[in-house]
Amino acid sequence: MKMFSVSHKTVFVVDHCPYMSESSRQQVECDVLTKTRAQGVIPLAPVSKSLWTCAVECSMEYCRILYDIYPKDKLVNYIVSDSEFHILNTWKREEQGTHELMSGLASVGPPNPHEDPECCSILHGLFAAVESLCIITELQHERRAALMDTAERVANRGRIICLTNAKSDTSVRMLEDYVQETILEQNKVAASSDRRMAIQQCELVLLHIYPQGEDTLVSDRPKKEISPLLTSEVHSVRAGRHLATKLNILVQQHFDLASTTITNIPMKPTLNVCEQEEQHANTSANYDVELLHHKDAHLEFIKSGDLHMAGTSTRENTLKETVTLKWCTPRTNSIGGNELHYCTGAYRISPTDVNSRPSSCLTNFLLNGRSVLLEQPRKSGSKVISHMLSSHGGEIFLHVLNSNRSTLEDPPSISEGCGGRVTDYRITDFGEFMRENRLTPVSEYFIDSFEKLPVERAKAQLERHTRYWPMIISQTTIFNMQAVVPLANLIVKETLTEEDVLTCQKTVYNLVDMERKNDPLPISTVGSRGKGPKRDEQYRIMWNELETLVKTHAAASDRHQRVLDCITACRSKPPEEEERKKRGRKREDREDRAEKNGSKETDDKGWQDSERLKGLIDKEDQESEVIKDSPDSPEPLNKKPRLSTEEVQPPERAKGPVSLLTMWTNRITVANSRKHQEFVGRASSVNNKFELYQHLKDENGMDVHENGKASR
Amino acid sequence: MPTLVLMDVSLSMTRPVSLDGSEEFQRKNLAVHGLNMLFEHMASNYRLEFTALMAFSSLWELLVSFTRDYNALQEALSNLEDYDKTCIESALQGVSNVVQQEWGSACPCQVVLVTDGSLGIGKGSLRHSLQTMKHRGDDKKFPLPFPFPTKLYIMCVANADELQMTDAMDNLEELLHLSGGDGQIFTIEGPLCMKGVQAMFGRLIDYAYSPFHAVLHCGNLSSDVQVFPRPEPVVVDDEVEPMPRAVSTDLEIVGFIEIADISSPPVISRHLVLPIAVNKEVDEVGTGATDELEEEPSASQMAGKNPNFCVLLHGSLKVEGMVALVQLGPEWYGMLYSQADSKKKSNLMMSLFDPGSGPLPWLGNISHLGPISEAAENPYGEDDSKSPFPVQPQVKRSYAQNVTVWIKASGLQTDVQKILRNARKLPDKTQTFYKELNRLRKAALAFGFSELLKVVADLLERECTMLPDSAHPDAAFQLSHAAQQLKLASTGESQHADFDHNIVPMHTDFSS
């Protein structure tokens, strides 16, 4: 159905003339006495509904089904006509709903039988209906605004359902002509208004209602074109259940609905399908419930010609067709809960007989959160589950399940593809990451207060959380350390509080403490030969990684920067490095600037470096390596020199007085440095560079690093 | 989307192609060459596609049913025999049967019709079929359009000039139109030769069988992926938005949701998301497939050892029982999840939702889903005991509220009986009694059914007179109070017949 088909706007015009207060002559026995109390009491006379009551309750039933299945943007405008027109609601979304209409109807009340029939006419209502169809709806307005220069794609079509008592075929013709004229007239008016649109297509459905036991004065007529703008059809119906049936058929035609009957619904109390029925549980009768829904839920049946096989039945008195599906007793409570069914459509339902006992038992069962699979009865006896009934947030949907062979069957397993052989993915950590990045609806109220849509903010959060996120366990040290968790969780936040900064600093001090105590680190020895790196080497790796993580966030705020400052201030550095730092001040400043630019390249490199870290440390121990500017994070082999972040030195911000902690750490660092002998290479380096394996070069006459791998 | 190749093996396909000096070819040889090229391409770049091969002349025969075994398809091609005349209609009927039997009527299917553009003569020819199709009964309907969504590719081993000399081109265009218009007619440009047929099948491959490559992003984590089958562009509403929407080659994860919360959503299509190695050039067409075979093991071994985000994501989605919501384009979303084929094999899958920001009512507007960290308190609760989903609609559906429908007499009778049942249990059931009474009153006022109000008032008055001696004195007060109020409402006077007014219990005090 197109967004702006005739079904977008429906106007009900109901006759409120004195004649409508006539009895429909269909009697309802209200005084149904129970056997025990029947003695000596004369039952009250049955009541009968007026033509008006019949028209109103059947039109309300039409609206009920419509609103159940299309809660949005299939709109109804209800108009009552007597000596003037009474418009009960507008196209506004908040005025759509049976409750709103009922309230309006109550204020109009039943027709006054004593009013002068000469003054009353359905024409008043029809005039108002045409005028109303010209008025633009919220959806039309939104779409026109969104489409801008192609706003003409938004069409204006509508349907008028007129419930009246006509005098003859001639008077019906007169009504049609009147509507046609009014459309032409109103279209002219609409052309000059922003809030109105000319009617491009109008469907007039005239229902002539007459009491039971009378002959009709108006004949049925199928849809015919009065003009390119207007089609009209006439239905002559007796008041009462005939009218109800007629409107039920019409709502299905008008809104592309179809009917499904669920059969074999058990009344067993164990299933709690029908708790009220428990006292009669010994008679475990099965019952049927008919549901209406969009006809696409039957698409597969219609296309495959299976419709008949699926148990179409033509019921008595109605020409309506329904597809029968069999209830499959749910296996467990969790059905549909933790299983993703391959579902090709989900359609809202409305029970045809909403307050009958079986219907309300079924809907309550579903509303309580249980799902039910439905089976398509087949002649062959094979069982095919074709549908599922399930409720979501108080709405019941008929899900269409795929029952055909899948074109995706037998795919290669993910373990056979890229990255499939890696075994130490941080599955649990990423699971935790996913939980932190779950989504929640943000109420309309808050949406305007943010600059970005919530979903964009969700993406921004994912970006922050993944700036440094090693995928495998052997690539990381800090994420394997419980001690780092508080800092790692906080640093990814968009803004930090003073308290957060304090927590981060505490985490860092804690690490310093661990280092002082020489606590072991969870550095994986996977891939490395021997015992792996030494303890102080481990700490250096850890500090580098921590710095890499925090650096990616340092630019976010001063508080983030303070966490980075804390790390750079606290981590121990060999004294000669401090020395070098002073000498290399100039170069550092340059780096600092590059860092502040926050270029993506530097981030990436920091990342890559730490990913590569482990393997390189390994190499460093066992084979030669050019000691570049920093021993911490050597440049990868065979890469052009570049401005890099491996030199993880603090941008000297804290120019103020040195803190006690810094003094203390410096002292410790100096003390530590005395405990080992300086490397020969470093001691005799030129410009902090010392070429290793010089003899190899002499022997082979080539650079060993060209084929570093081969030399292993 | 499975493919069915429909190969013309009529005698006209054996017509020789005149080439100066070189070896002599039949049109059939050219067609087979082209199809071999297509199959080779699919074997290396589109190998998950199910393909069937059907040969037809006046009869049709399914040579290879739907398979991913491209060797079998190529072998069948090499064993083609020559038969009599072309009869496209019966072959299409065969296609319809074969496809529906295998895939049902909902699965879209590609049909590659390979012919020489000589479309038969007399009865059974395409011309004859098209001329007579409007004058037939339901039992002998022309097989197009197929019940399943179809893409029809007509590969003519002929050039356009040749087809336009007769009405062949017109008839083929009519055929394409009848199939639903989705597809294309390909002809050989220039002289009929191996090169020409290669170029023609090359165009088909580019048009319909080029793999869909995309980058899956989750913040800064990303992976190059192939999405299979190719996601097709979708038309949302041909009037308001006639341009088809295509899936972006950047698939951005926006966040995560529990499987129970997304709860079997309807999807328009499902796709495998296969991580691919970036440096490997997979887009090569046909040629060099043999060279690749030798290199492939080492290349794929290397790729297998490099950590890949898809594998990490898949593992965690599987363990946690969650899905990732992924943005496919402006206001278009889908979900990524782990799909298990068997106990050992599982895969990363992507399902596409209907385009638009609110495809699943129970999630609300997807653009309005934000990170939980921004909520005042964790909507999932500290111990994951709660969930912000499903989103509740503002108005309850009729079946979720106690609506009043009196179309059937039983509905009305039940409501009256409910009131009387509670009336007999006054004053214990005072609340329920008035609740039911007010419900009936509201409906009667809306329906203009004042007669009912009078009758129920009479019934209550009668109940009052029939109260047993043991009854609580309050019962009589409440009954006559209620009856009186109903009578007032039935007058229709505005002060008594207000829809939103409720009859409240009469205040009585029997405690003293």
Side-chain angles (χ1 to χ4, degrees):
Chain A
M1 206 190 300
K2 285 187 190 128
M3 191 179 280
F4 298 113
S5 68
V6 280
S7 302
H8 177 51
K9 291 165 149 180
T10 304
V11 189
F12 267 100
V13 181
V14 184
D15 199 338
H16 197 247
C17 297
Y19 180 78
M20 293 295 282
S21 61
E22 293 272 311
S23 166
S24 67
R25 299 194 206 138
Q26 189 185 13
Q27 298 188 326
V28 184
E29 202 70 61
C30 279
D31 196 9
V32 189
L33 292 169
T34 48
K35 288 170 202 160
T36 47
R37 298 177 65 91
Q39 275 95 22
V41 181
I42 306 150
L44 294 174
V47 288
S48 83
K49 296 170 187 169
S50 63
L51 293 179
W52 165 258
T53 301
C54 288
V56 165
E57 70 174 0
C58 293
S59 60
M60 289 313 293
E61 180 68 0
Y62 180 104
C63 296
R64 178 188 70 78
I65 291 167
L66 163 60
Y67 288 134
D68 271 356
I69 294 172
Y70 297 96
K72 216 182 154 193
D73 297 328
K74 297 283 177 248
L75 309 171
V76 174
N77 185 207
Y78 208 103
I79 294 170
V80 167
S81 180
D82 43 40
S83 59
E84 55 185 345
F85 58 79
H86 308 266
I87 302 178
L88 303 189
N89 69 334
T90 70
W91 298 123
K92 279 192 187 144
R93 285 177 184 138
E94 75 252 26
E95 290 183 37
Q96 298 294 316
T98 45
H99 181 84
E100 287 71 14
L101 297 180
M102 300 258 282
S103 168
L105 283 167
S107 67
V108 173
N112 178 4
H114 308 299
E115 203 168 352
D116 179 7
E118 292 302 310
C119 305
C120 295
S121 167
I122 193 72
L123 295 179
H124 302 300
L126 287 173
F127 173 83
V130 172
E131 195 177 29
S132 168
L133 282 181
C134 288
I135 293 170
I136 190 169
T137 65
E138 283 160 293
L139 184 68
Q140 285 176 320
H141 176 69
E142 285 161 14
R143 282 288 153 166
R144 266 161 46 126
L147 287 170
M148 304 286 284
D149 45 343
T150 50
E152 74 279 356
R153 284 184 192 160
V154 174
N156 191 35
R157 308 188 179 95
R159 180 181 286 125
I160 300 173
I161 303 176
C162 176
L163 295 113
T164 183
N165 181 280
K167 288 185 182 65
S168 63
D169 285 348
T170 327
S171 65
V172 165
R173 208 117 318 132
M174 194 268 287
L175 294 180
E176 288 169 345
D177 292 345
Y178 179 76
V179 172
Q180 168 66 21
E181 274 166 37
T182 317
I183 290 176
L184 294 175
E185 210 172 276
Q186 287 297 317
N187 276 357
K188 280 181 203 150
V189 178
S192 59
S193 166
D194 248 11
R195 287 275 145 195
R196 284 164 193 252
M197 286 173 81
I199 298 169
Q200 284 154 294
Q201 190 190 344
C202 176
E203 237 181 75
L204 177 64
V205 182
L206 277 165
L207 288 154
H208 166 72
I209 309 170
Y210 61 98
Q212 306 237 338
E214 271 184 26
D215 288 333
T216 177
L217 302 167
V218 175
S219 40
D220 271 3
R221 208 198 55 217
K223 195 192 281 190
K224 88 166 194 203
E225 195 170 278
I226 307 277
S227 79
L229 291 178
L230 182 67
T231 59
S232 163
E233 60 191 277
V234 182
H235 303 272
S236 180
V237 209
R238 256 173 301 193
R241 86 191 139 83
H242 298 281
L243 180 62
T245 311
K246 174 59 81 182
L247 277 165
N248 185 288
I249 293 169
L250 286 178
V251 75
Q252 292 191 51
Q253 285 173 1
H254 294 167
F255 293 94
D256 291 346
L257 306 184
S259 152
T260 294
T261 302
I262 317 295
T263 64
N264 251 356
I265 308 175
M267 269 193 195
K268 289 178 195 151
T270 46
L271 284 170
N272 293 324
V273 179
C274 198
E275 279 170 63
Q276 293 150 302
E277 230 50 46
E278 274 184 57
Q279 59 256 45
H280 311 297
N282 45 359
T283 61
S284 64
N286 291 350
Y287 57 85
D288 296 359
V289 172
E290 188 192 347
L291 306 173
L292 294 178
H293 50 78
H294 195 276
K295 67 177 178 198
D296 278 357
H298 291 162
L299 205 59
E300 180 80 349
F301 297 154
I302 298 167
K303 278 187 172 174
S304 60
D306 255 2
L307 206 58
H308 188 73
M309 233 162 69
T312 306
S313 67
T314 308
R315 292 174 306 165
E316 266 182 279
N317 300 330
T318 70
L319 292 166
K320 204 171 58 174
E321 290 190 326
T322 185
V323 167
T324 308
L325 294 174
K326 206 174 132 218
W327 162 288
C328 292
T329 301
R331 283 167 300 176
T332 55
N333 279 359
S334 67
I335 196 155
N338 291 315
E339 216 178 323
L340 271 180
H341 292 276
Y342 176 23
C343 162
T344 54
Y347 305 94
R348 289 188 175 87
I349 61 102
S350 183
T352 30
D353 203 357
V354 65
N355 54 3
S356 77
R357 182 58 64 82
S359 286
S360 62
C361 286
L362 175 65
T363 51
N364 286 334
F365 178 81
L366 294 165
L367 290 172
N368 285 332
R370 309 277 302 263
S371 299
V372 175
L373 295 173
L374 302 173
E375 183 191 327
Q376 179 192 351
R378 285 196 169 170
K379 272 179 193 161
S380 59
S382 61
K383 189 171 164 174
V384 175
I385 304 286
S386 59
H387 292 77
M388 177 176 78
L389 275 172
S390 185
S391 80
H392 310 282
E395 286 188 285
I396 300 174
F397 291 82
L398 182 62
H399 291 249
V400 183
L401 305 179
N402 179 60
S403 46
N404 288 313
R405 182 181 167 192
S406 162
T407 54
L408 296 178
E409 67 186 27
D410 198 25
S413 173
I414 193 146
S415 58
E416 293 161 24
C418 292
R421 310 240 174 119
V422 180
T423 49
D424 64 337
Y425 284 106
R426 293 170 59 204
I427 299 282
T428 319
D429 290 348
F430 197 72
E432 189 55 40
F433 168 89
M434 296 195 310
R435 301 197 158 273
E436 282 160 14
N437 285 287
R438 277 182 292 186
L439 299 168
T440 187
V442 178
S443 80
E444 303 273 343
Y445 176 75
F446 289 107
I447 284 166
D448 295 336
S449 65
F450 290 128
E451 283 172 12
K452 279 183 184 171
L453 276 176
V455 77
E456 294 300 325
R457 301 182 57 76
K459 280 196 255 176
Q461 174 167 310
L462 283 174
E463 191 280 320
R464 286 199 310 278
H465 283 211
T466 53
R467 281 186 197 163
Y468 177 69
W469 214 97
M471 287 196 280
I472 57 175
I473 294 166
S474 54
Q475 265 173 3
T476 179
T477 305
I478 54 170
F479 292 111
N480 299 331
M481 291 169 68
Q482 203 54 43
V484 182
V485 169
L487 186 147
N489 283 347
L490 287 172
I491 200 73
V492 296
K493 282 170 62 175
E494 199 173 14
T495 52
L496 294 179
T497 61
E498 271 310 314
E499 201 183 332
D500 292 339
V501 175
L502 218 60
T503 314
C504 291
Q505 286 169 341
K506 270 187 201 156
T507 309
V508 176
Y509 300 156
N510 189 19
L511 293 174
V512 171
D513 199 38
M514 281 171 68
E515 184 171 18
R516 189 180 52 77
K517 286 192 279 184
N518 227 3
D519 285 350
L521 288 181
I523 287 198
S524 111
T525 51
V526 178
S528 66
R529 294 181 210 158
K531 283 183 280 180
K534 294 200 179 99
R535 190 64 45 89
D536 57 342
E537 194 57 44
Q538 291 182 356
Y539 272 91
R540 208 162 54 183
I541 295 168
M542 186 277 287
W543 284 116
N544 279 339
E545 201 186 358
L546 190 64
E547 244 176 27
T548 309
L549 166 70
V550 176
K551 244 184 197 168
T552 61
H553 296 279
S557 73
D558 278 352
R559 286 181 177 145
H560 286 88
Q561 180 63 44
R562 272 166 57 201
V563 177
L564 180 62
D565 293 348
C566 171
I567 293 172
T568 39
C570 288
R571 66 174 301 183
S572 59
K573 294 243 161 86
E576 64 275 38
E577 208 176 311
E578 301 289 320
E579 191 78 357
R580 211 158 25 86
K581 216 156 65 183
K582 274 171 212 152
R583 274 190 273 133
R585 179 65 41 83
K586 250 189 181 171
R587 193 174 44 78
E588 232 178 80
D589 286 349
R590 206 171 57 225
E591 270 179 22
D592 203 2
R593 249 176 282 132
E595 231 168 73
K596 274 182 188 155
N597 289 342
S599 70
K600 205 161 161 71
E601 201 193 339
T602 48
D603 282 355
D604 285 354
K605 258 195 290 182
W607 169 296
Q608 287 167 3
D609 287 345
S610 55
E611 274 189 16
R612 231 177 274 115
L613 207 65
K614 212 55 64 49
L616 289 172
I617 294 299
D618 195 21
K619 272 182 211 156
E620 201 181 358
D621 278 359
Q622 290 165 26
E623 54 172 308
S624 63
E625 183 65 72
V626 176
I627 305 285
K628 298 244 168 150
D629 298 342
S630 155
D632 294 337
S633 187
E635 281 263 14
L637 299 175
N638 302 333
K639 288 242 170 146
K640 285 178 212 154
R642 53 187 175 181
L643 268 185
S644 70
T645 53
E646 72 253 33
E647 184 76 87
V648 277
Q649 268 138 18
E652 302 258 284
R653 289 215 178 167
K655 290 258 162 65
V658 181
S659 74
L660 186 63
L661 176 86
T662 319
M663 283 165 66
W664 180 74
T665 15
N666 285 344
R667 210 183 107 111
I668 294 289
T669 317
V670 173
N672 282 344
S673 69
R674 282 199 206 102
K675 287 179 189 160
H676 65 79
Q677 219 180 352
E678 186 53 269
F679 293 123
V680 182
R682 205 179 270 156
S684 61
S685 64
V686 183
N687 256 350
N688 259 321
K689 285 184 183 172
F690 178 76
E691 195 166 10
L692 296 177
Y693 296 109
Q694 288 161 343
H695 62 286
L696 275 180
K697 204 173 183 179
D698 295 339
E699 279 167 29
N700 301 342
M702 59 182 284
D703 189 355
V704 278
H705 302 300
E706 289 292 342
N707 50 4
K709 263 184 200 164
S711 71
R712 286 194 77 167
Chain B
M1 196 163 24
T3 294
L4 189 141
V5 174
L6 186 57
M7 173 77 179
D8 186 345
V9 289
S10 68
L11 218 48
S12 66
M13 288 290 282
T14 63
R15 281 184 289 164
V17 177
S18 49
L19 280 176
D20 316 322
S22 61
E23 210 182 327
E24 194 171 90
F25 290 116
Q26 296 176 354
R27 294 194 187 224
K28 190 178 86 172
N29 301 133
L30 291 179
V32 168
H33 179 71
L35 282 176
N36 268 323
M37 176 178 151
L38 175 66
F39 290 156
E40 273 164 20
H41 166 80
M42 288 164 91
S44 51
N45 299 315
Y46 219 69
R47 66 200 147 97
L48 293 174
E49 177 86 344
F50 279 99
T51 303
L53 179 64
M54 194 187 242
F56 78 101
S57 55
S58 63
L59 303 170
W60 59 268
E61 185 188 0
L62 184 63
L63 298 177
V64 184
S65 60
F66 288 96
T67 181
R68 286 174 182 152
D69 181 355
Y70 285 93
N71 291 333
L73 287 162
Q74 282 180 304
E75 199 183 317
L77 270 186
S78 62
N79 295 327
L80 284 180
E81 286 176 41
D82 305 323
Y83 294 90
D84 54 348
K85 61 173 188 171
T86 310
C87 181
I88 288 184
E89 179 172 350
S90 66
L92 291 175
Q93 191 60 55
V95 171
S96 181
N97 295 343
V98 167
V99 171
Q100 281 193 83
Q101 204 161 32
E102 194 77 46
W103 308 106
S105 52
C107 176
C109 190
Q110 326 199 63
V111 177
V112 179
L113 168 62
V114 184
T115 179
D116 59 351
S118 112
L119 304 168
I121 40 163
K123 214 174 169 213
S125 70
L126 184 61
R127 186 186 302 120
H128 183 260
S129 296
L130 294 175
Q131 278 166 354
T132 57
M133 63 176 289
K134 281 179 187 146
H135 319 287
R136 304 193 226 177
D138 272 358
D139 50 331
K140 280 189 176 171
K141 263 171 55 182
F142 192 69
L144 290 181
F146 292 128
F148 45 86
T150 317
K151 285 180 186 285
L152 179 63
Y153 306 113
I154 304 175
M155 314 301 294
C156 293
V157 188
N159 49 44
D161 299 342
E162 188 184 339
L163 296 172
Q164 272 153 0
M165 283 200 301
T166 62
D167 60 352
M169 194 50 136
D170 296 336
N171 286 331
L172 289 176
E173 274 169 3
E174 172 81 14
L175 197 66
L176 182 62
H177 175 73
L178 283 172
S179 79
D182 203 353
Q184 201 166 316
I185 299 172
F186 295 88
T187 56
I188 291 181
E189 286 165 9
L192 301 188
C193 60
M194 286 296 179
K195 248 187 174 169
V197 84
Q198 271 178 17
M200 176 172 75
F201 274 87
R203 276 180 282 139
L204 170 69
I205 287 168
D206 287 346
Y207 187 83
Y209 294 99
S210 55
F212 183 90
H213 289 169
V215 185
L216 177 64
H217 300 274
C218 175
N220 293 303
L221 297 169
S222 69
S223 169
D224 289 86
V225 295
Q226 181 186 350
V227 178
F228 180 90
R230 300 199 315 183
E232 296 297 328
V234 176
V235 176
V236 183
D237 182 313
D238 54 6
E239 189 174 272
V240 181
E241 210 187 312
M243 289 298 289
R245 289 208 205 176
V247 171
S248 159
T249 49
D250 282 296
L251 308 169
E252 284 186 285
I253 291 180
V254 300
F256 303 87
I257 285 184
E258 317 261 347
I259 282 183
D261 286 337
I262 201 122
S263 98
S264 299
V267 300
I268 55 176
S269 58
R270 286 195 313 171
H271 308 266
L272 286 167
V273 177
L274 308 161
I276 49 173
V278 215
N279 48 1
K280 206 181 125 197
E281 191 54 70
V282 278
D283 224 20
E284 277 173 40
V285 170
T287 54
T290 42
D291 303 343
E292 268 177 48
L293 275 176
E294 281 168 35
E295 271 178 276
E296 212 160 71
S298 65
S300 71
Q301 255 171 9
M302 283 297 288
K305 281 177 184 163
N306 287 330
N308 188 293
F309 172 62
C310 283
V311 186
L312 172 69
L313 175 69
H314 169 267
S316 299
L317 290 175
K318 188 174 181 175
V319 170
E320 300 287 335
M322 292 173 92
V323 305
L325 274 186
V326 58
Q327 185 159 14
L328 312 167
E331 296 216 317
W332 193 7
Y333 298 90
M335 63 173 177
L336 289 161
Y337 53 98
S338 160
Q339 169 84 16
D341 195 47
S342 63
K343 268 184 188 161
K344 277 185 188 162
K345 282 189 172 183
S346 68
N347 248 290
L348 189 62
M349 285 268 242
M350 179 166 76
S351 289
L352 313 189
F353 302 144
D354 269 322
S357 53
L360 311 178
W362 51 95
L363 293 193
N365 185 333
I366 294 188
S367 315
H368 292 181
L369 295 181
I372 49 171
S373 59
E374 286 176 5
E377 59 180 282
N378 188 348
Y380 289 92
E382 289 315 312
D383 51 351
D384 267 350
S385 55
K386 295 188 292 185
S387 167
F389 302 106
V391 172
Q392 302 282 337
Q394 281 165 337
V395 185
K396 281 185 175 177
R397 303 289 155 251
S398 69
Y399 45 82
Q401 47 177 320
N402 207 352
V403 292
T404 315
V405 179
W406 290 334
I407 285 173
K408 285 189 178 165
S410 59
L412 178 57
Q413 285 156 356
T414 313
D415 284 347
V416 173
Q417 287 304 313
K418 239 184 246 171
I419 292 172
L420 291 182
R421 235 190 355 258
N422 285 303
R424 284 162 204 152
K425 290 175 187 162
L426 286 171
D428 300 346
K429 293 278 184 183
T430 307
Q431 290 309 318
T432 348
F433 171 74
Y434 279 101
K435 199 183 116 204
E436 291 298 330
L437 191 75
N438 281 312
R439 193 164 73 86
L440 176 124
R441 176 184 172 276
K442 263 193 168 54
L445 287 173
F447 298 155
F449 201 176
S450 42
E451 200 183 335
L452 178 73
L453 294 172
K454 283 180 214 144
V455 168
V456 175
D458 288 347
L459 279 170
L460 292 178
E461 276 174 352
R462 191 178 69 193
E463 282 302 320
C464 194
T465 63
M466 297 193 333
L467 283 172
D469 297 340
S470 58
H472 193 281
D474 195 24
F477 281 102
Q478 299 297 353
L479 283 175
S480 48
H481 167 68
Q484 190 205 356
Q485 291 290 314
L486 286 185
K487 277 192 174 151
L488 282 171
S490 75
T491 60
E493 286 164 34
S494 54
Q495 70 269 35
H496 303 296
D498 182 12
F499 183 71
D500 292 318
H501 172 79
N502 275 325
I503 303 174
V504 290
M506 189 184 194
H507 184 73
T508 52
D509 188 0
F510 293 96
S511 53
S512 51

